[in-house]
PDB file of all heavy atoms in Angstrom:
ATOM      1  N   ARG A   1     -41.936 -30.084  63.632  1.00  0.00           N
ATOM      2  CA  ARG A   1     -41.903 -29.054  62.604  1.00  0.00           C
ATOM      3  C   ARG A   1     -42.500 -27.780  63.186  1.00  0.00           C
ATOM      4  O   ARG A   1     -43.671 -27.756  63.556  1.00  0.00           O
ATOM      5  CB  ARG A   1     -42.686 -29.487  61.366  1.00  0.00           C
ATOM      6  CG  ARG A   1     -42.586 -28.507  60.195  1.00  0.00           C
ATOM      7  CD  ARG A   1     -43.308 -29.047  58.966  1.00  0.00           C
ATOM      8  NE  ARG A   1     -43.244 -28.136  57.832  1.00  0.00           N
ATOM      9  CZ  ARG A   1     -42.264 -28.098  56.952  1.00  0.00           C
ATOM     10  NH1 ARG A   1     -41.234 -28.942  57.067  1.00  0.00           N
ATOM     11  NH2 ARG A   1     -42.290 -27.235  55.946  1.00  0.00           N
ATOM     12  N   LEU A   2     -41.696 -26.748  63.252  1.00  0.00           N
ATOM     13  CA  LEU A   2     -42.138 -25.461  63.738  1.00  0.00           C
ATOM     14  C   LEU A   2     -42.575 -24.586  62.569  1.00  0.00           C
ATOM     15  O   LEU A   2     -42.027 -24.676  61.474  1.00  0.00           O
ATOM     16  CB  LEU A   2     -41.029 -24.755  64.514  1.00  0.00           C
ATOM     17  CG  LEU A   2     -40.385 -25.526  65.667  1.00  0.00           C
ATOM     18  CD1 LEU A   2     -39.372 -24.644  66.381  1.00  0.00           C
ATOM     19  CD2 LEU A   2     -41.443 -26.022  66.644  1.00  0.00           C
ATOM     20  N   SER A   3     -43.551 -23.745  62.835  1.00  0.00           N
ATOM     21  CA  SER A   3     -44.054 -22.853  61.814  1.00  0.00           C
ATOM     22  C   SER A   3     -44.144 -21.437  62.357  1.00  0.00           C
ATOM     23  O   SER A   3     -44.469 -21.230  63.528  1.00  0.00           O
ATOM     24  CB  SER A   3     -45.428 -23.318  61.329  1.00  0.00           C
ATOM     25  OG  SER A   3     -45.951 -22.448  60.344  1.00  0.00           O
ATOM     26  N   CYS A   4     -43.868 -20.486  61.507  1.00  0.00           N
ATOM     27  CA  CYS A   4     -43.964 -19.073  61.856  1.00  0.00           C
ATOM     28  C   CYS A   4     -44.716 -18.384  60.729  1.00  0.00           C
ATOM     29  O   CYS A   4     -44.201 -18.266  59.611  1.00  0.00           O
ATOM     30  CB  CYS A   4     -42.568 -18.478  62.040  1.00  0.00           C
ATOM     31  SG  CYS A   4     -42.545 -16.727  62.459  1.00  0.00           S
ATOM     32  N   ALA A   5     -45.922 -17.948  61.024  1.00  0.00           N
ATOM     33  CA  ALA A   5     -46.773 -17.329  60.017  1.00  0.00           C
ATOM     34  C   ALA A   5     -46.875 -15.823  60.232  1.00  0.00           C
ATOM     35  O   ALA A   5     -47.083 -15.360  61.352  1.00  0.00           O
ATOM     36  CB  ALA A   5     -48.167 -17.955  60.048  1.00  0.00           C
ATOM     37  N   VAL A   6     -46.750 -15.086  59.153  1.00  0.00           N
ATOM     38  CA  VAL A   6     -46.827 -13.631  59.196  1.00  0.00           C
ATOM     39  C   VAL A   6     -48.060 -13.193  58.432  1.00  0.00           C
ATOM     40  O   VAL A   6     -48.255 -13.572  57.274  1.00  0.00           O
ATOM     41  CB  VAL A   6     -45.575 -12.978  58.588  1.00  0.00           C
ATOM     42  CG1 VAL A   6     -45.643 -11.461  58.731  1.00  0.00           C
ATOM     43  CG2 VAL A   6     -44.318 -13.524  59.235  1.00  0.00           C
ATOM     44  N   SER A   7     -48.891 -12.398  59.059  1.00  0.00           N
ATOM     45  CA  SER A   7     -50.110 -11.930  58.422  1.00  0.00           C
ATOM     46  C   SER A   7     -50.194 -10.413  58.476  1.00  0.00           C
ATOM     47  O   SER A   7     -49.549  -9.764  59.300  1.00  0.00           O
ATOM     48  CB  SER A   7     -51.343 -12.540  59.093  1.00  0.00           C
ATOM     49  OG  SER A   7     -51.449 -12.129  60.443  1.00  0.00           O
ATOM     50  N   GLY A   8     -51.014  -9.869  57.590  1.00  0.00           N
ATOM     51  CA  GLY A   8     -51.192  -8.438  57.527  1.00  0.00           C
ATOM     52  C   GLY A   8     -51.315  -7.989  56.090  1.00  0.00           C
ATOM     53  O   GLY A   8     -51.512  -8.801  55.178  1.00  0.00           O
ATOM     54  N   ILE A   9     -51.209  -6.703  55.876  1.00  0.00           N
ATOM     55  CA  ILE A   9     -51.310  -6.153  54.533  1.00  0.00           C
ATOM     56  C   ILE A   9     -50.181  -5.164  54.296  1.00  0.00           C
ATOM     57  O   ILE A   9     -49.570  -4.647  55.234  1.00  0.00           O
ATOM     58  CB  ILE A   9     -52.672  -5.454  54.300  1.00  0.00           C
ATOM     59  CG1 ILE A   9     -52.876  -4.312  55.301  1.00  0.00           C
ATOM     60  CG2 ILE A   9     -53.802  -6.465  54.393  1.00  0.00           C
ATOM     61  CD1 ILE A   9     -54.109  -3.488  55.035  1.00  0.00           C
ATOM     62  N   MET A  10     -49.914  -4.915  53.025  1.00  0.00           N
ATOM     63  CA  MET A  10     -48.949  -3.905  52.609  1.00  0.00           C
ATOM     64  C   MET A  10     -47.548  -4.168  53.159  1.00  0.00           C
ATOM     65  O   MET A  10     -46.898  -3.274  53.711  1.00  0.00           O
ATOM     66  CB  MET A  10     -49.425  -2.510  53.036  1.00  0.00           C
ATOM     67  CG  MET A  10     -50.733  -2.066  52.378  1.00  0.00           C
ATOM     68  SD  MET A  10     -50.584  -1.793  50.596  1.00  0.00           S
ATOM     69  CE  MET A  10     -51.287  -3.320  49.951  1.00  0.00           C
ATOM     70  N   PHE A  11     -47.088  -5.389  53.002  1.00  0.00           N
ATOM     71  CA  PHE A  11     -45.743  -5.721  53.425  1.00  0.00           C
ATOM     72  C   PHE A  11     -45.175  -6.851  52.586  1.00  0.00           C
ATOM     73  O   PHE A  11     -45.895  -7.580  51.899  1.00  0.00           O
ATOM     74  CB  PHE A  11     -45.714  -6.106  54.911  1.00  0.00           C
ATOM     75  CG  PHE A  11     -46.315  -7.449  55.204  1.00  0.00           C
ATOM     76  CD1 PHE A  11     -45.515  -8.586  55.211  1.00  0.00           C
ATOM     77  CD2 PHE A  11     -47.660  -7.587  55.477  1.00  0.00           C
ATOM     78  CE1 PHE A  11     -46.051  -9.833  55.483  1.00  0.00           C
ATOM     79  CE2 PHE A  11     -48.210  -8.829  55.746  1.00  0.00           C
ATOM     80  CZ  PHE A  11     -47.410  -9.950  55.746  1.00  0.00           C
ATOM     81  N   ARG A  12     -43.866  -6.989  52.655  1.00  0.00           N
ATOM     82  CA  ARG A  12     -43.166  -8.088  52.001  1.00  0.00           C
ATOM     83  C   ARG A  12     -42.139  -8.634  52.976  1.00  0.00           C
ATOM     84  O   ARG A  12     -41.409  -7.872  53.605  1.00  0.00           O
ATOM     85  CB  ARG A  12     -42.493  -7.613  50.710  1.00  0.00           C
ATOM     86  CG  ARG A  12     -41.633  -8.674  50.024  1.00  0.00           C
ATOM     87  CD  ARG A  12     -41.180  -8.195  48.659  1.00  0.00           C
ATOM     88  NE  ARG A  12     -40.459  -6.933  48.724  1.00  0.00           N
ATOM     89  CZ  ARG A  12     -39.165  -6.812  48.988  1.00  0.00           C
ATOM     90  NH1 ARG A  12     -38.431  -7.898  49.215  1.00  0.00           N
ATOM     91  NH2 ARG A  12     -38.596  -5.617  49.018  1.00  0.00           N
ATOM     92  N   ILE A  13     -42.072  -9.938  53.094  1.00  0.00           N
ATOM     93  CA  ILE A  13     -41.164 -10.573  54.029  1.00  0.00           C
ATOM     94  C   ILE A  13     -39.763 -10.673  53.440  1.00  0.00           C
ATOM     95  O   ILE A  13     -39.584 -11.092  52.298  1.00  0.00           O
ATOM     96  CB  ILE A  13     -41.658 -11.972  54.423  1.00  0.00           C
ATOM     97  CG1 ILE A  13     -43.023 -11.872  55.108  1.00  0.00           C
ATOM     98  CG2 ILE A  13     -40.658 -12.664  55.341  1.00  0.00           C
ATOM     99  CD1 ILE A  13     -43.637 -13.213  55.422  1.00  0.00           C
ATOM    100  N   GLY A  14     -38.786 -10.286  54.236  1.00  0.00           N
ATOM    101  CA  GLY A  14     -37.399 -10.401  53.829  1.00  0.00           C
ATOM    102  C   GLY A  14     -36.749 -11.612  54.463  1.00  0.00           C
ATOM    103  O   GLY A  14     -37.248 -12.733  54.365  1.00  0.00           O
ATOM    104  N   ASN A  15     -35.628 -11.393  55.128  1.00  0.00           N
ATOM    105  CA  ASN A  15     -34.926 -12.492  55.779  1.00  0.00           C
ATOM    106  C   ASN A  15     -35.713 -13.013  56.978  1.00  0.00           C
ATOM    107  O   ASN A  15     -36.386 -12.252  57.678  1.00  0.00           O
ATOM    108  CB  ASN A  15     -33.542 -12.048  56.239  1.00  0.00           C
ATOM    109  CG  ASN A  15     -32.655 -11.632  55.088  1.00  0.00           C
ATOM    110  OD1 ASN A  15     -32.871 -12.035  53.946  1.00  0.00           O
ATOM    111  ND2 ASN A  15     -31.641 -10.829  55.384  1.00  0.00           N
ATOM    112  N   MET A  16     -35.609 -14.308  57.222  1.00  0.00           N
ATOM    113  CA  MET A  16     -36.267 -14.935  58.352  1.00  0.00           C
ATOM    114  C   MET A  16     -35.253 -15.824  59.062  1.00  0.00           C
ATOM    115  O   MET A  16     -34.324 -16.337  58.438  1.00  0.00           O
ATOM    116  CB  MET A  16     -37.477 -15.757  57.900  1.00  0.00           C
ATOM    117  CG  MET A  16     -38.446 -14.999  57.014  1.00  0.00           C
ATOM    118  SD  MET A  16     -39.859 -15.992  56.463  1.00  0.00           S
ATOM    119  CE  MET A  16     -40.928 -15.856  57.902  1.00  0.00           C
ATOM    120  N   ALA A  17     -35.449 -16.006  60.359  1.00  0.00           N
ATOM    121  CA  ALA A  17     -34.501 -16.795  61.135  1.00  0.00           C
ATOM    122  C   ALA A  17     -35.177 -17.444  62.327  1.00  0.00           C
ATOM    123  O   ALA A  17     -36.239 -17.016  62.774  1.00  0.00           O
ATOM    124  CB  ALA A  17     -33.339 -15.922  61.603  1.00  0.00           C
ATOM    125  N   TRP A  18     -34.531 -18.480  62.830  1.00  0.00           N
ATOM    126  CA  TRP A  18     -34.955 -19.151  64.042  1.00  0.00           C
ATOM    127  C   TRP A  18     -33.854 -19.048  65.087  1.00  0.00           C
ATOM    128  O   TRP A  18     -32.683 -19.319  64.792  1.00  0.00           O
ATOM    129  CB  TRP A  18     -35.266 -20.627  63.789  1.00  0.00           C
ATOM    130  CG  TRP A  18     -36.517 -20.860  63.014  1.00  0.00           C
ATOM    131  CD1 TRP A  18     -36.622 -21.089  61.676  1.00  0.00           C
ATOM    132  CD2 TRP A  18     -37.844 -20.910  63.536  1.00  0.00           C
ATOM    133  NE1 TRP A  18     -37.937 -21.266  61.327  1.00  0.00           N
ATOM    134  CE2 TRP A  18     -38.704 -21.161  62.446  1.00  0.00           C
ATOM    135  CE3 TRP A  18     -38.391 -20.761  64.806  1.00  0.00           C
ATOM    136  CZ2 TRP A  18     -40.086 -21.274  62.603  1.00  0.00           C
ATOM    137  CZ3 TRP A  18     -39.756 -20.855  64.955  1.00  0.00           C
ATOM    138  CH2 TRP A  18     -40.588 -21.112  63.862  1.00  0.00           C
ATOM    139  N   TYR A  19     -34.236 -18.655  66.283  1.00  0.00           N
ATOM    140  CA  TYR A  19     -33.351 -18.614  67.426  1.00  0.00           C
ATOM    141  C   TYR A  19     -33.893 -19.544  68.499  1.00  0.00           C
ATOM    142  O   TYR A  19     -35.070 -19.914  68.482  1.00  0.00           O
ATOM    143  CB  TYR A  19     -33.262 -17.196  68.011  1.00  0.00           C
ATOM    144  CG  TYR A  19     -32.552 -16.189  67.135  1.00  0.00           C
ATOM    145  CD1 TYR A  19     -33.176 -15.620  66.036  1.00  0.00           C
ATOM    146  CD2 TYR A  19     -31.244 -15.787  67.433  1.00  0.00           C
ATOM    147  CE1 TYR A  19     -32.534 -14.687  65.244  1.00  0.00           C
ATOM    148  CE2 TYR A  19     -30.593 -14.848  66.654  1.00  0.00           C
ATOM    149  CZ  TYR A  19     -31.243 -14.302  65.559  1.00  0.00           C
ATOM    150  OH  TYR A  19     -30.599 -13.365  64.785  1.00  0.00           O
ATOM    151  N   ARG A  20     -33.046 -19.916  69.434  1.00  0.00           N
ATOM    152  CA  ARG A  20     -33.516 -20.689  70.566  1.00  0.00           C
ATOM    153  C   ARG A  20     -32.816 -20.231  71.838  1.00  0.00           C
ATOM    154  O   ARG A  20     -31.692 -19.741  71.801  1.00  0.00           O
ATOM    155  CB  ARG A  20     -33.305 -22.189  70.359  1.00  0.00           C
ATOM    156  CG  ARG A  20     -31.858 -22.657  70.339  1.00  0.00           C
ATOM    157  CD  ARG A  20     -31.798 -24.140  70.008  1.00  0.00           C
ATOM    158  NE  ARG A  20     -30.431 -24.640  69.987  1.00  0.00           N
ATOM    159  CZ  ARG A  20     -30.106 -25.867  69.587  1.00  0.00           C
ATOM    160  NH1 ARG A  20     -31.052 -26.712  69.172  1.00  0.00           N
ATOM    161  NH2 ARG A  20     -28.835 -26.250  69.602  1.00  0.00           N
ATOM    162  N   GLU A  21     -33.515 -20.401  72.942  1.00  0.00           N
ATOM    163  CA  GLU A  21     -33.004 -20.000  74.237  1.00  0.00           C
ATOM    164  C   GLU A  21     -33.291 -21.096  75.246  1.00  0.00           C
ATOM    165  O   GLU A  21     -34.439 -21.343  75.600  1.00  0.00           O
ATOM    166  CB  GLU A  21     -33.647 -18.677  74.666  1.00  0.00           C
ATOM    167  CG  GLU A  21     -33.067 -18.090  75.931  1.00  0.00           C
ATOM    168  CD  GLU A  21     -33.609 -16.704  76.211  1.00  0.00           C
ATOM    169  OE1 GLU A  21     -34.133 -16.064  75.283  1.00  0.00           O
ATOM    170  OE2 GLU A  21     -33.509 -16.256  77.367  1.00  0.00           O
ATOM    171  N   ALA A  22     -32.238 -21.759  75.697  1.00  0.00           N
ATOM    172  CA  ALA A  22     -32.352 -22.796  76.706  1.00  0.00           C
ATOM    173  C   ALA A  22     -32.198 -22.170  78.087  1.00  0.00           C
ATOM    174  O   ALA A  22     -31.603 -21.093  78.223  1.00  0.00           O
ATOM    175  CB  ALA A  22     -31.295 -23.870  76.482  1.00  0.00           C
ATOM    176  N   PRO A  23     -32.717 -22.816  79.127  1.00  0.00           N
ATOM    177  CA  PRO A  23     -32.592 -22.276  80.482  1.00  0.00           C
ATOM    178  C   PRO A  23     -31.138 -22.010  80.859  1.00  0.00           C
ATOM    179  O   PRO A  23     -30.282 -22.883  80.713  1.00  0.00           O
ATOM    180  CB  PRO A  23     -33.192 -23.378  81.349  1.00  0.00           C
ATOM    181  CG  PRO A  23     -34.156 -24.074  80.450  1.00  0.00           C
ATOM    182  CD  PRO A  23     -33.496 -24.068  79.098  1.00  0.00           C
ATOM    183  N   GLY A  24     -30.866 -20.803  81.318  1.00  0.00           N
ATOM    184  CA  GLY A  24     -29.526 -20.444  81.722  1.00  0.00           C
ATOM    185  C   GLY A  24     -28.552 -20.221  80.587  1.00  0.00           C
ATOM    186  O   GLY A  24     -27.361 -20.024  80.826  1.00  0.00           O
ATOM    187  N   ARG A  25     -29.037 -20.233  79.369  1.00  0.00           N
ATOM    188  CA  ARG A  25     -28.181 -20.064  78.204  1.00  0.00           C
ATOM    189  C   ARG A  25     -28.556 -18.794  77.439  1.00  0.00           C
ATOM    190  O   ARG A  25     -29.670 -18.282  77.563  1.00  0.00           O
ATOM    191  CB  ARG A  25     -28.301 -21.263  77.264  1.00  0.00           C
ATOM    192  CG  ARG A  25     -27.999 -22.619  77.909  1.00  0.00           C
ATOM    193  CD  ARG A  25     -26.610 -23.079  77.578  1.00  0.00           C
ATOM    194  NE  ARG A  25     -26.479 -23.343  76.146  1.00  0.00           N
ATOM    195  CZ  ARG A  25     -26.796 -24.493  75.553  1.00  0.00           C
ATOM    196  NH1 ARG A  25     -27.279 -25.500  76.263  1.00  0.00           N
ATOM    197  NH2 ARG A  25     -26.626 -24.642  74.251  1.00  0.00           N
ATOM    198  N   GLU A  26     -27.617 -18.300  76.669  1.00  0.00           N
ATOM    199  CA  GLU A  26     -27.882 -17.138  75.831  1.00  0.00           C
ATOM    200  C   GLU A  26     -28.682 -17.553  74.604  1.00  0.00           C
ATOM    201  O   GLU A  26     -28.571 -18.684  74.121  1.00  0.00           O
ATOM    202  CB  GLU A  26     -26.569 -16.490  75.397  1.00  0.00           C
ATOM    203  CG  GLU A  26     -25.724 -15.926  76.533  1.00  0.00           C
ATOM    204  CD  GLU A  26     -26.388 -14.750  77.197  1.00  0.00           C
ATOM    205  OE1 GLU A  26     -26.950 -13.911  76.470  1.00  0.00           O
ATOM    206  OE2 GLU A  26     -26.349 -14.679  78.433  1.00  0.00           O
ATOM    207  N   ARG A  27     -29.490 -16.642  74.122  1.00  0.00           N
ATOM    208  CA  ARG A  27     -30.229 -16.902  72.901  1.00  0.00           C
ATOM    209  C   ARG A  27     -29.247 -17.060  71.738  1.00  0.00           C
ATOM    210  O   ARG A  27     -28.325 -16.256  71.577  1.00  0.00           O
ATOM    211  CB  ARG A  27     -31.211 -15.763  72.612  1.00  0.00           C
ATOM    212  CG  ARG A  27     -32.114 -16.016  71.416  1.00  0.00           C
ATOM    213  CD  ARG A  27     -33.180 -14.942  71.270  1.00  0.00           C
ATOM    214  NE  ARG A  27     -34.067 -14.899  72.425  1.00  0.00           N
ATOM    215  CZ  ARG A  27     -35.158 -14.150  72.494  1.00  0.00           C
ATOM    216  NH1 ARG A  27     -35.502 -13.387  71.469  1.00  0.00           N
ATOM    217  NH2 ARG A  27     -35.899 -14.162  73.590  1.00  0.00           N
ATOM    218  N   GLU A  28     -29.431 -18.100  70.952  1.00  0.00           N
ATOM    219  CA  GLU A  28     -28.518 -18.376  69.858  1.00  0.00           C
ATOM    220  C   GLU A  28     -29.261 -18.544  68.539  1.00  0.00           C
ATOM    221  O   GLU A  28     -30.407 -18.982  68.496  1.00  0.00           O
ATOM    222  CB  GLU A  28     -27.697 -19.646  70.146  1.00  0.00           C
ATOM    223  CG  GLU A  28     -28.526 -20.919  70.228  1.00  0.00           C
ATOM    224  CD  GLU A  28     -27.686 -22.174  70.387  1.00  0.00           C
ATOM    225  OE1 GLU A  28     -26.455 -22.105  70.187  1.00  0.00           O
ATOM    226  OE2 GLU A  28     -28.263 -23.234  70.716  1.00  0.00           O
ATOM    227  N   LEU A  29     -28.575 -18.197  67.480  1.00  0.00           N
ATOM    228  CA  LEU A  29     -29.120 -18.360  66.139  1.00  0.00           C
ATOM    229  C   LEU A  29     -29.037 -19.820  65.739  1.00  0.00           C
ATOM    230  O   LEU A  29     -27.966 -20.424  65.782  1.00  0.00           O
ATOM    231  CB  LEU A  29     -28.360 -17.488  65.150  1.00  0.00           C
ATOM    232  CG  LEU A  29     -28.768 -17.595  63.676  1.00  0.00           C
ATOM    233  CD1 LEU A  29     -30.197 -17.114  63.480  1.00  0.00           C
ATOM    234  CD2 LEU A  29     -27.813 -16.783  62.804  1.00  0.00           C
ATOM    235  N   VAL A  30     -30.158 -20.382  65.326  1.00  0.00           N
ATOM    236  CA  VAL A  30     -30.232 -21.780  64.927  1.00  0.00           C
ATOM    237  C   VAL A  30     -30.183 -21.924  63.413  1.00  0.00           C
ATOM    238  O   VAL A  30     -29.442 -22.748  62.875  1.00  0.00           O
ATOM    239  CB  VAL A  30     -31.510 -22.439  65.472  1.00  0.00           C
ATOM    240  CG1 VAL A  30     -31.619 -23.883  64.992  1.00  0.00           C
ATOM    241  CG2 VAL A  30     -31.523 -22.386  66.990  1.00  0.00           C
ATOM    242  N   ALA A  31     -30.996 -21.156  62.729  1.00  0.00           N
ATOM    243  CA  ALA A  31     -31.084 -21.240  61.283  1.00  0.00           C
ATOM    244  C   ALA A  31     -31.587 -19.929  60.718  1.00  0.00           C
ATOM    245  O   ALA A  31     -32.278 -19.178  61.390  1.00  0.00           O
ATOM    246  CB  ALA A  31     -32.009 -22.384  60.861  1.00  0.00           C
ATOM    247  N   SER A  32     -31.246 -19.668  59.482  1.00  0.00           N
ATOM    248  CA  SER A  32     -31.728 -18.477  58.808  1.00  0.00           C
ATOM    249  C   SER A  32     -31.992 -18.794  57.351  1.00  0.00           C
ATOM    250  O   SER A  32     -31.406 -19.718  56.781  1.00  0.00           O
ATOM    251  CB  SER A  32     -30.728 -17.319  58.931  1.00  0.00           C
ATOM    252  OG  SER A  32     -29.512 -17.628  58.280  1.00  0.00           O
ATOM    253  N   ILE A  33     -32.877 -18.015  56.762  1.00  0.00           N
ATOM    254  CA  ILE A  33     -33.178 -18.165  55.344  1.00  0.00           C
ATOM    255  C   ILE A  33     -33.475 -16.788  54.787  1.00  0.00           C
ATOM    256  O   ILE A  33     -34.290 -16.041  55.328  1.00  0.00           O
ATOM    257  CB  ILE A  33     -34.352 -19.149  55.113  1.00  0.00           C
ATOM    258  CG1 ILE A  33     -34.631 -19.310  53.616  1.00  0.00           C
ATOM    259  CG2 ILE A  33     -35.601 -18.712  55.870  1.00  0.00           C
ATOM    260  CD1 ILE A  33     -35.557 -20.473  53.312  1.00  0.00           C
ATOM    261  N   THR A  34     -32.798 -16.439  53.717  1.00  0.00           N
ATOM    262  CA  THR A  34     -32.951 -15.128  53.121  1.00  0.00           C
ATOM    263  C   THR A  34     -34.146 -15.100  52.184  1.00  0.00           C
ATOM    264  O   THR A  34     -34.770 -16.117  51.899  1.00  0.00           O
ATOM    265  CB  THR A  34     -31.699 -14.719  52.351  1.00  0.00           C
ATOM    266  OG1 THR A  34     -31.562 -15.552  51.189  1.00  0.00           O
ATOM    267  CG2 THR A  34     -30.452 -14.864  53.217  1.00  0.00           C
ATOM    268  N   SER A  35     -34.448 -13.910  51.692  1.00  0.00           N
ATOM    269  CA  SER A  35     -35.537 -13.766  50.738  1.00  0.00           C
ATOM    270  C   SER A  35     -35.251 -14.509  49.442  1.00  0.00           C
ATOM    271  O   SER A  35     -36.171 -14.820  48.692  1.00  0.00           O
ATOM    272  CB  SER A  35     -35.787 -12.284  50.440  1.00  0.00           C
ATOM    273  OG  SER A  35     -34.623 -11.660  49.923  1.00  0.00           O
ATOM    274  N   GLY A  36     -33.979 -14.806  49.194  1.00  0.00           N
ATOM    275  CA  GLY A  36     -33.582 -15.571  48.024  1.00  0.00           C
ATOM    276  C   GLY A  36     -33.398 -17.050  48.310  1.00  0.00           C
ATOM    277  O   GLY A  36     -32.808 -17.764  47.500  1.00  0.00           O
ATOM    278  N   ASP A  37     -33.871 -17.511  49.460  1.00  0.00           N
ATOM    279  CA  ASP A  37     -33.844 -18.920  49.865  1.00  0.00           C
ATOM    280  C   ASP A  37     -32.442 -19.440  50.156  1.00  0.00           C
ATOM    281  O   ASP A  37     -32.195 -20.650  50.075  1.00  0.00           O
ATOM    282  CB  ASP A  37     -34.513 -19.812  48.828  1.00  0.00           C
ATOM    283  CG  ASP A  37     -36.013 -19.659  48.795  1.00  0.00           C
ATOM    284  OD1 ASP A  37     -36.585 -19.176  49.793  1.00  0.00           O
ATOM    285  OD2 ASP A  37     -36.622 -20.026  47.773  1.00  0.00           O
TER     286      ASP A  37
END
């Protein structure tokens, strides 16, 4: 289970996504989740 935590003040998180990059491969989109889930 991977986690990505965002901290700070005066902001709101919108769309979020996970990418992956294997050796010798292009970075690819794995999953995404919008602000509306």
Side-chain angles (χ1 to χ4, degrees):
R1 185 176 180 87
L2 306 184
S3 179
C4 179
V6 184
S7 63
I9 59 173
M10 297 293 101
F11 73 91
R12 175 171 56 84
I13 299 175
N15 298 337
M16 308 179 82
W18 288 97
Y19 291 77
R20 68 185 180 187
E21 187 173 341
R25 304 260 295 274
E26 297 293 318
R27 185 173 298 187
E28 64 175 347
L29 177 64
V30 177
S32 64
I33 181 168
T34 69
S35 58
D37 288 340

